[in-house]
Amino acid sequence: MVLKGIRYGAAGLVLVAMAVFVILPFVGEFRLTERVFDEVVDASHHEALKSLMHDDFGRTFIGVHGLVNSVNEAVTSWNVAAKAESRWDEVIYADYAFTIAHAAAVGWVVDARWLLFFLVFGLPVIGGLLFIWLSYRDREGVAHHGVFHRALTSRGGVALILGVVLIAFYVVLYWFPAYTVNWVLLVDPISEAISGSQASQWFLYGSMYTLVILVMGVRMLLKYQFSPYHSLRTALLMFFQLCFAFIIPEVLAALNLPAQDLKNIWPLDYSFFFDYRLDAMLDAGTFGFFLLGWGLLLFMVVVPVMTYFYGKRWYCSWVCGCGGLAETAGDPFRQLSDKRLIAWQVERWMVHGVLVFAVLMTLAVLYTYWTGEASLVQVAGWSVSSYDLRSWYGFAIGAAFAGVVGTGFYPFMGNRVWCRFGCPLAAYLGLIQRFRSRFRITTNGGQCISCGNCSTYCEMGIDVRSYAQRGQNIVRSSCVGCGICATVCPRGVLKLENGADDGASRTETKPFVFGNNQIHVNW
Amino acid sequence: MHTVIIGNGIAGITCARHLRKNSDEFITVISGETDHFFSRTALMYIFMGHMRYEHTKPYEDWFWSKNRIALKRAWVSAVDTEKRVLQFNDSAQLAYDRLVIATGSRSRTVILDGVNLSGVHTLYSLQDVERLDESTKAVLSSAQGARKAVVVGGGLIGIELCEMFRSRGLEVSMLVREPSFWGNVLSLEEGRLVEVHIRSHGVEVLTETELVSIEGEAGHVSRVRLSSGAEIECSIVALAIGVEPNVNWLQNSGIELGRGVLVDRMFRTNAQDVYAIGDCAEFRDPPSGVAAINQVWYTGRMMGETLSQILIGKDVEYAPGPWFNSAKFFDLEYQTYGQVATVPKPDEQHFFWRDLEGRRSIKVVFDAQQSIFLGINVIGFRVRHELIAAYLEKEATSQEVLKRFER
Ligand SMILES: Cc1cc2nc3c(=O)[nH]c(=O)nc-3n(C[C@H](O)[C@H](O)[C@H](O)COP(=O)(O)OP(=O)(O)OC[C@H]3O[C@@H](n4cnc5c(N)ncnc54)[C@H](O)[C@@H]3O)c2cc1C
């Protein structure tokens, strides 16, 4: 009874933190002064913008919204005029709303930074860990009681609210970053401590992402404490996120080297061949060459070799950052993936379509890099350049798909929407896994009882049961080898294996399930 | 040709699917329970909230029309084997050329004071689970009455019921007639090991205890009286004392019945073109090593596979490989292969090993003279079906088998 109370209290702490987080973008004071303007705005734009914004100098805005409007209005009106008079080189593309707001922040949010930091980041860690500890401290087996009775994990009202909040967060992060400024202020001191510079919205996002993986990783470690496989892969995911995705790039940046996530692989890392990144690597001496070589080695050698031996799980559910979030924060939602045949059909077109798009876009970018020629096709006054492809890809795939849909849809469509339908690297790994790998999930003779736990809890929406009840190995390009199907199987039927078998027997189908002698004798 | 199958369980559906693969005839599958085939073995997971009914359907709903398997939701009340007509309980009729009876089992009940009170349950059908769900919700939301369920029967369905009630926060007492859990299948040591585990999940296990009567207040269960003289206050009583072939409705059909529908090794009944498979079938003369009545998922499937071949004219008889089965007792997985008696038969020896934590055990049965491997029970291990079946079929020695378990 007491424990139950503490557990609710812990959940309450997380809710309080979420409430503070949601309110923050609407509050705070921002004082726009000439000094702020001079500091932040590029000298080449001073003349253009100063006269337009001059009236607001000295004004204090309550909430960031007014300031953002003021900045954007000034920039827009300048650009409209510049475009009208065809002064193309004078158009301003820089997003000053975020940087000005960041520099203009004053008042209680800034003063109460540490308190707010504690409320927004400390509370959910404390509350979350306490809740997790009380929920999963002594698990000996599968913990799925009530999954379809609770609104949060079965597309109920709470799930709807959470999904809307997540989607709104991603929309703000990608397209209205100025509204993240109060959150960013809270992590400034940390950024300054690590790399010496102020935080950006991406630093904020990276810290939150890492924190969520660590806390929810602890949940996985406890929930599956009886399984060495899940413990190991969860620990790996937490390690790679903390060190490779978060700390190492910050340290590299502090050392003035290209800040690269060394485990991110093209084409997931779709900007790897973009001019500015190639230049950064080529300008960074030996270390830069190492980065370039490492990046090429990863997708040309490491991916095929590792996938041959272990299947795509070595990346998707042991190393990858997207996988890291999906396997930790996303675990409560894995049962929401669509298992229908139609979903599989859509998936195959979509994910391989993205792979093709990524390859073409990269080829175009490289073409431009080598030839200096940006334009690719020109038909009747209509032209497409490699820069267009780049920005379409970045918008549609990099931001909308991977971010908004990928994570925002967790409570609606499960935790692997991006990995399943959109990730070009997953598609590439998947092709190798399907056709040139030893990895498969074997089914134990005739022991399947068709209960459906495996299919239900497959985050990739694979109808595992349809294979298991036929006694057939599961060999699917989408399988990320998370191993949950094997864990939830109540009859010990499923086993992830990568022992020597890369031949025809790997995908063999038998007319009847093992155990029925008469049929085998007479066929 | 119109083949009608009564029962959309694993036996009937497996037969229908394989028949469709090899023949173009009309196939109709009838069931009164649900529109579509679902996994009965998953009923507990629906109750516990691991899955919804939707998730327990192994095939999507479009599968049936795409494969031209007609489905009919109705209860068959009588069969006229002369006219080859089925009678439904709403007085509609359906003609068949060939009939497959695959009507499964029904829960056994007892004649006792109080069995008709509300709050007394059995577990076999989807509707049973719905009733259990309602009853449990009522108990949890009511201020009165004990938040306790009594499960009668120490077997596979009994232990599932215990886990189900515990998952919803009810207290549970389990009454086991034998000296230890599942005493007619597991040895005393194995049963004890499982009991310790069940108790660790908060279930009170009362062995060598039987239900004497159920008492109620205002038509609802309020306590049970036990053979030990004790009484337990409770709001739910779940009877899990076994199942029996669901064949009562065939009483006057002229189809010969024993405990089940009597069939030969090709599943033929005494009536022309009428067959029976699955839980409801009873072999007049079972193949060696096979029981007369087989009430598990796997046998239902194998019978369905075999009958589908017989119906397309193949000359085959039911001949399953070595017996196998599996179960899960809360977090403990159990598998069995071959013939494993609770205590050694005169010419047998049993090798038993268990770990100190009580999470794993192995019992190997072998022939005392020649040390030939006859069967194995494992708890807390997953062993390969193909491997063990091969050992059994080639009559491996016990040493060979035990070697695999060293380490
Ligand atoms: C809770 C539970 C758990 C189980 N777990 C396991 C397990 O883990 N492993 C295992 O091997 N076995 C298990 N079993 C046993 C297994 O489910 C059965 O052996 C198997 O389902 C029998 O299949 P069947 O096709 O013969 O019959 P059924 O599945 O019973 O199908 C028969 C169908 O016919 C319908 N029907 C009956 N009479 C009529 C009529 N007159 N008109 C119309 N329709 C009718 C019934 O309503 C039913 O839908 C379990 C059983 C239960 C109840």
Side-chain angles (χ1 to χ4, degrees):
Chain A
M1 234 22 192
V2 178
L3 284 185
K4 213 171 175 180
I6 300 178
R7 215 170 133 232
Y8 280 125
L13 294 184
V14 180
L15 284 180
V16 168
M18 278 183 75
V20 176
F21 186 80
V22 170
I23 292 167
L24 268 179
F26 302 101
V27 299
E29 288 164 34
F30 297 87
R31 196 170 150 76
L32 181 62
T33 60
E34 188 155 5
R35 241 193 68 203
V36 166
F37 181 91
D38 288 345
E39 236 169 59
V40 173
V41 176
D42 196 81
S44 62
H45 297 147
H46 275 197
E47 201 192 300
L49 294 180
K50 207 170 230 174
S51 59
L52 289 164
M53 290 180 58
H54 195 264
D55 288 351
D56 281 338
F57 285 168
R59 202 172 140 194
T60 300
F61 298 87
I62 304 296
V64 78
H65 184 66
L67 176 61
V68 171
N69 271 352
S70 161
V71 176
N72 287 348
E73 264 169 34
V75 174
T76 311
S77 69
W78 170 262
N79 284 350
V80 167
K83 283 177 188 166
E85 293 159 26
S86 295
R87 290 180 278 120
W88 298 111
D89 48 340
E90 290 179 19
V91 174
I92 297 172
Y93 293 103
D95 176 16
Y96 284 123
F98 175 81
T99 41
I100 291 179
H102 197 178
V106 290
W108 68 271
V109 171
V110 181
D111 297 339
R113 191 179 260 186
W114 287 110
L115 175 66
L116 287 170
F117 177 83
F118 174 75
L119 289 179
V120 170
F121 298 105
L123 277 192
V125 172
I126 296 169
L129 288 176
L130 190 59
F131 184 87
I132 287 162
W133 171 251
L134 291 172
S135 309
Y136 299 108
R137 66 194 178 287
D138 47 9
R139 294 307 317 176
E140 292 183 82
V142 179
H144 286 153
H145 292 341
V147 164
F148 282 97
H149 296 155
R150 282 190 293 270
L152 181 63
T153 51
S154 62
R155 296 198 190 107
V158 194
L160 185 69
I161 296 173
L162 179 67
V164 168
V165 169
L166 281 173
I167 290 169
F169 172 73
Y170 277 94
V171 169
V172 167
L173 182 74
Y174 283 113
W175 295 296
F176 305 96
Y179 292 88
T180 67
V181 75
N182 276 344
W183 301 326
V184 172
L185 288 170
L186 310 185
V187 293
D188 268 341
I190 297 173
S191 177
E192 278 157 19
I194 299 177
S195 64
S197 56
Q198 279 203 326
S200 65
Q201 78 267 33
W202 301 118
F203 180 83
L204 167 83
Y205 181 53
S207 331
M208 288 174 62
Y209 199 99
T210 307
L211 208 58
V212 168
I213 288 185
L214 293 181
V215 172
M216 292 299 278
V218 171
R219 175 182 172 279
M220 283 300 276
L221 290 174
L222 286 175
K223 182 177 173 189
Y224 294 107
Q225 57 190 277
F226 54 88
S227 155
Y229 180 60
H230 295 308
S231 305
L232 182 64
R233 71 186 183 90
T234 306
L236 280 175
L237 287 169
M238 293 162 77
F239 165 79
F240 278 110
Q241 176 60 31
L242 181 63
C243 298
F244 279 63
F246 188 66
I247 295 178
I248 294 177
E250 288 297 326
V251 172
L252 290 177
L255 297 174
N256 251 325
L257 291 166
Q260 196 152 307
D261 176 352
L262 292 169
K263 60 157 179 55
N264 204 354
I265 305 178
W266 180 88
L268 172 60
D269 183 9
Y270 63 90
S271 62
F272 185 78
F273 293 105
F274 285 7
D275 47 7
Y276 61 90
R277 291 205 38 200
L278 288 177
D279 288 340
M281 288 187 279
L282 295 174
D283 291 345
T286 322
F287 185 70
F289 277 107
F290 160 73
L291 285 182
L292 186 59
W294 175 243
L296 295 174
L297 190 75
L298 277 177
F299 88 86
M300 293 195 303
V301 179
V302 177
V303 164
V305 170
M306 288 290 282
T307 309
Y308 172 74
F309 285 107
Y310 300 105
K312 76 199 258 190
R313 58 181 170 153
W314 78 269
Y315 192 72
C316 299
S317 58
W318 302 354
V319 173
C320 178
C322 307
L325 194 71
E327 293 296 334
T328 54
D331 177 71
F333 306 107
R334 56 172 55 252
Q335 65 282 356
L336 303 173
S337 59
D338 193 333
K339 315 303 188 304
R340 289 173 305 163
L341 184 64
I342 180 93
W344 182 18
Q345 286 159 348
V346 171
E347 163 198 314
R348 284 186 300 195
W349 279 103
M350 226 185 229
V351 76
H352 296 117
V354 173
L355 176 61
V356 170
F357 186 9
V359 170
L360 292 179
M361 186 267 294
T362 302
L363 289 176
V365 165
L366 284 174
Y367 166 77
T368 305
Y369 189 75
W370 273 312
T371 64
E373 176 63 50
S375 172
L376 303 169
V377 266
Q378 270 174 313
V379 193
W382 180 81
S383 84
V384 176
S385 73
S386 64
Y387 292 99
D388 292 333
L389 282 188
R390 235 164 97 156
S391 69
W392 294 339
Y393 191 93
F395 171 82
I397 311 297
F401 209 150
V404 180
V405 177
T407 311
F409 279 35
Y410 272 17
F412 310 137
M413 290 177 68
N415 52 336
R416 287 278 194 178
V417 177
W418 158 248
C419 314
R420 179 183 179 190
F421 295 98
C423 176
L425 179 57
Y428 170 35
L429 288 154
L431 288 171
I432 300 170
Q433 167 160 289
R434 173 65 186 77
F435 297 107
R436 274 283 164 273
S437 172
R438 293 170 158 195
F439 175 72
R440 74 269 182 202
I441 302 177
T442 56
T443 55
N444 194 10
Q447 290 276 21
C448 176
I449 51 169
S450 298
C451 69
N453 275 296
C454 52
S455 295
T456 304
Y457 288 91
C458 176
E459 55 191 359
M460 296 305 283
I462 298 171
D463 189 359
V464 183
R465 166 175 53 195
S466 68
Y467 298 79
Q469 67 192 359
R470 278 182 303 191
Q472 191 188 340
N473 286 346
I474 294 110
V475 176
R476 276 278 288 270
S477 55
S478 65
C479 174
V480 292
C482 69
I484 296 290
C485 58
T487 305
V488 299
C489 174
R491 295 295 177 269
V493 173
L494 302 163
K495 187 171 183 205
L496 281 64
E497 295 194 48
N498 42 238
D501 181 1
D502 53 358
S505 60
R506 187 167 161 260
T507 51
E508 186 182 49
T509 53
K510 301 174 193 103
F512 293 100
V513 187
F514 185 82
N516 195 352
N517 280 2
Q518 186 59 65
I519 303 292
H520 288 281
V521 172
N522 275 32
W523 273 103
Chain B
M1 179 77 89
H2 184 195
T3 299
V4 173
I5 299 172
I6 311 178
N8 68 353
I10 181 67
I13 287 297
T14 305
C15 179
R17 283 196 311 108
H18 285 291
L19 191 54
R20 171 50 74 234
K21 278 189 197 165
N22 297 296
S23 130
D24 222 22
E25 66 202 271
F26 287 109
I27 303 175
T28 303
V29 180
I30 301 167
S31 171
E33 183 181 7
T34 53
D35 287 333
H36 300 103
F37 171 47
F38 75 99
S39 181
R40 191 170 303 292
T41 55
L43 284 174
M44 67 182 295
Y45 300 105
I46 300 177
F47 182 90
M48 300 196 299
H50 295 210
M51 288 190 273
R52 292 201 167 118
Y53 164 66
E54 292 304 310
H55 300 110
T56 67
K57 292 193 277 189
Y59 303 91
E60 290 184 51
D61 293 351
W62 50 257
F63 177 88
W64 309 106
S65 57
K66 179 170 177 254
N67 287 289
R68 291 174 296 119
I69 295 174
L71 302 179
K72 184 173 170 64
R73 174 94 182 259
W75 292 106
V76 181
S77 53
V79 184
D80 184 334
T81 56
E82 291 294 305
K83 295 198 188 122
R84 301 194 179 209
V85 173
L86 298 180
Q87 181 74 50
F88 295 106
N89 63 356
D90 62 359
S91 81
Q93 294 189 332
L94 183 72
Y96 67 83
D97 298 311
R98 293 195 296 201
L99 181 66
V100 177
I101 299 169
T103 50
S105 300
R106 53 180 202 162
S107 304
R108 206 176 278 155
T109 52
V110 280
I111 301 170
L112 268 184
D113 281 349
V115 283
N116 293 324
L117 288 167
S118 96
V120 179
H121 294 268
T122 54
L123 173 59
Y124 191 82
S125 67
L126 184 65
Q127 288 75 24
D128 288 340
V129 168
E130 286 162 1
R131 280 189 287 266
L132 276 162
D133 188 62
E134 275 165 36
S135 217
T136 305
K137 278 187 187 140
V139 170
L140 289 174
S141 61
S142 151
Q144 285 140 16
R147 293 193 166 195
K148 179 154 197 166
V150 170
V151 173
V152 185
L156 289 183
I157 297 184
I159 197 167
E160 288 191 0
L161 280 159
C162 290
E163 186 172 356
M164 287 159 66
F165 292 129
R166 288 300 295 142
S167 81
R168 303 281 284 267
L170 293 179
E171 286 176 37
V172 178
S173 294
M174 182 190 214
L175 313 186
V176 182
R177 188 175 55 188
E178 291 74 23
S180 62
F181 171 73
W182 209 17
N184 51 356
V185 176
L186 299 181
S187 66
L188 194 67
E189 296 93 333
E190 289 168 320
R192 287 271 183 275
L193 183 144
V194 178
E195 277 165 37
V196 170
H197 182 72
I198 309 176
R199 291 201 175 97
S200 79
H201 279 272
V203 177
E204 179 187 39
V205 184
L206 302 171
T207 51
E208 293 183 270
T209 307
E210 287 183 63
L211 180 67
V212 173
S213 68
I214 308 172
E215 287 167 22
E217 273 165 32
H220 194 92
V221 172
S222 63
R223 71 163 59 79
V224 291
R225 210 181 282 277
L226 311 181
S227 55
S228 61
E231 290 183 0
I232 300 178
E233 305 256 328
C234 60
S235 301
I236 292 178
V237 174
L239 302 175
I241 50 176
V243 296
E244 58 198 18
N246 182 9
V247 295
N248 270 29
W249 60 283
L250 288 167
Q251 285 304 334
N252 306 315
S253 63
I255 297 172
E256 255 183 82
L257 305 176
R259 282 191 292 143
V261 181
L262 290 171
V263 294
D264 64 9
R265 293 179 189 181
M266 294 177 83
F267 306 107
R268 290 177 297 206
T269 67
N270 63 313
Q272 188 75 38
D273 290 324
V274 178
Y275 304 81
I277 51 173
D279 276 24
C280 69
E282 177 179 355
F283 289 112
R284 292 172 195 274
D285 172 25
S288 90
V290 173
I293 300 182
N294 298 268
Q295 294 159 319
V296 294
W297 185 262
Y298 314 114
T299 49
R301 187 185 63 213
M302 290 190 279
M303 290 184 197
E305 288 171 351
T306 310
L307 179 59
S308 74
Q309 301 308 300
I310 292 166
L311 293 180
I312 59 169
K314 291 219 159 111
D315 183 24
V316 292
E317 285 184 352
Y318 186 56
W323 170 259
F324 66 98
N325 197 7
S326 57
K328 195 171 181 184
F329 317 124
F330 283 86
D331 298 328
L332 289 186
E333 285 177 17
Y334 156 83
Q335 296 183 351
T336 183
Y337 299 92
Q339 300 298 329
V340 185
T342 52
V343 291
K345 293 181 191 160
D347 49 354
E348 282 178 3
Q349 277 192 336
H350 287 192
F351 166 89
F352 181 74
W353 172 91
R354 57 162 286 181
D355 68 353
L356 292 172
E357 296 82 45
R359 297 201 46 110
R360 299 169 136 216
S361 75
I362 302 169
K363 186 166 89 176
V364 181
V365 179
F366 49 92
D367 176 280
Q369 248 87 61
Q370 292 155 314
S371 168
I372 292 170
F373 173 56
L374 299 173
I376 186 168
N377 276 1
V378 287
I379 294 176
F381 289 94
R382 293 178 171 183
V383 295
R384 250 182 224 286
H385 187 173
E386 287 92 340
L387 182 76
I388 303 289
Y391 280 147
L392 287 167
E393 272 165 2
K394 74 172 191 199
E395 307 200 321
T397 61
S398 59
Q399 287 84 347
E400 206 179 335
V401 177
L402 284 172
K403 235 194 196 111
R404 302 266 328 183
F405 284 93
E406 281 172 13
R407 276 176 295 140

